[in-house]
Amino acid sequence: RTKIRRKRARSGRISATGSPNSRFARPAGLSQAGADVAAVDARGWTPLHAAAAAMAADAALALLAAGADAKKEAAGGATPLTIATSGDPDDSDDLGFGDLVIEEDGAPAPEDPGPLPRRNYHLIDALVAAGAGEPAAFCWTSPDLERHDFTLKPLGGAASWAAGQTVEVRVSAALDAFSSDESGSDDDEAEIVEAVGSATLLERRGDAWRCYLAADVLSEKAPQLMLLRGRELAIDASAS
């Protein structure tokens, strides 16, 4: 099995709760008088930027309803929409594999499918509706078990699939022993788990379907994969 050693970024940020280093923004406290949805951290991020990075669509909707600026630019020009479509520029999970150490039998892997941006259909839709502009083009890279730690395949045939349908998909995920303190061994064998999820089809390109998850998948066993409701992904239907 290909070994992937991640170099996780640990940049401080303000979440929608105001707590630094939170991966999941929450709309807690927005109903309280004086809640500051325009607060910024050292990078110029607002709670809406943090919600975008966490694909937290419900939090983003609450923040927008409370007056959050959908066009606010952080340091480097990042807006909630650019983060929602292209990822956090300071998070190695959103960058290319040049920022990862990839080995295959002791040698560099011959092919790199590229990064897999975390996009949420409902979040992007809300930001666009709030005047954030036009989203970046969808990345048609299908998730690969060796590179992205999960993959999606049709459950049954895909010949009758059509845009607008909600279909069942098989999700396979690699659960390794990686820990936040990086104390795990590089030689730990990954446990492969499978689950059945549902996805709503948007459009087709060749053998690939663009879709978004209709419900969370493996959210308890593998929360780091962020297979959340609304997550946009490409499904390779060629093997169905």
Side-chain angles (χ1 to χ4, degrees):
R1 170 176 166 77
T2 300
K3 300 175 185 177
I4 302 178
R5 296 199 298 271
R6 295 172 178 77
K7 297 187 292 184
R8 303 264 174 140
R10 304 199 179 281
S11 52
R13 66 183 63 163
I14 290 179
S15 73
T17 62
S19 302
N21 297 316
S22 173
R23 290 295 299 163
F24 300 98
R26 302 293 184 191
L30 292 185
S31 61
Q32 298 175 2
D36 186 4
V37 298
V40 296
D41 66 6
R43 295 193 294 169
W45 276 38
T46 66
L48 188 58
H49 288 82
M55 294 197 302
D58 291 342
L61 286 168
L63 289 163
L64 290 168
D69 184 358
K71 297 182 178 180
K72 175 69 175 178
E73 291 189 7
T79 67
L81 183 61
T82 59
I83 291 170
T85 55
S86 302
D88 177 355
D90 292 333
D91 189 334
S92 60
D93 283 345
D94 289 334
L95 301 180
F97 281 90
D99 294 281
L100 304 178
V101 179
I102 303 178
E103 300 173 356
E104 190 158 352
D105 297 327
E111 295 183 4
D112 178 357
L116 193 65
R118 296 192 288 259
R119 295 171 57 113
N120 186 289
Y121 178 83
H122 305 298
L123 171 61
I124 292 172
D125 187 58
L127 290 171
V128 171
E134 291 299 315
F138 175 71
C139 172
W140 283 87
T141 299
S142 297
D144 179 273
L145 190 61
E146 296 290 343
R147 297 295 189 270
H148 308 121
D149 290 338
F150 72 96
T151 187
L152 276 70
K153 296 293 182 184
L155 189 65
S160 62
W161 282 9
Q165 286 183 336
T166 297
V167 300
E168 289 189 322
V169 295
R170 184 177 301 281
V171 181
S172 300
L175 308 183
D176 57 30
F178 176 82
S179 62
S180 60
D181 61 5
E182 300 187 0
S183 60
S185 169
D186 289 333
D187 296 324
D188 289 332
E189 291 293 331
E191 174 191 0
I192 307 299
V193 298
E194 292 191 342
V196 175
S198 57
T200 299
L201 304 174
L202 295 173
E203 59 177 319
R204 180 177 182 176
R205 177 181 290 182
D207 291 324
W209 274 95
R210 177 187 177 191
C211 69
Y212 64 85
L213 297 179
D216 294 357
V217 182
L218 294 172
S219 57
E220 293 185 3
K221 285 189 174 182
Q224 75 281 4
L225 298 181
M226 299 184 75
L227 297 176
L228 307 176
R229 180 181 66 87
R231 173 87 185 259
E232 285 191 44
L233 293 163
I235 304 176
D236 181 2
S238 60
S240 64

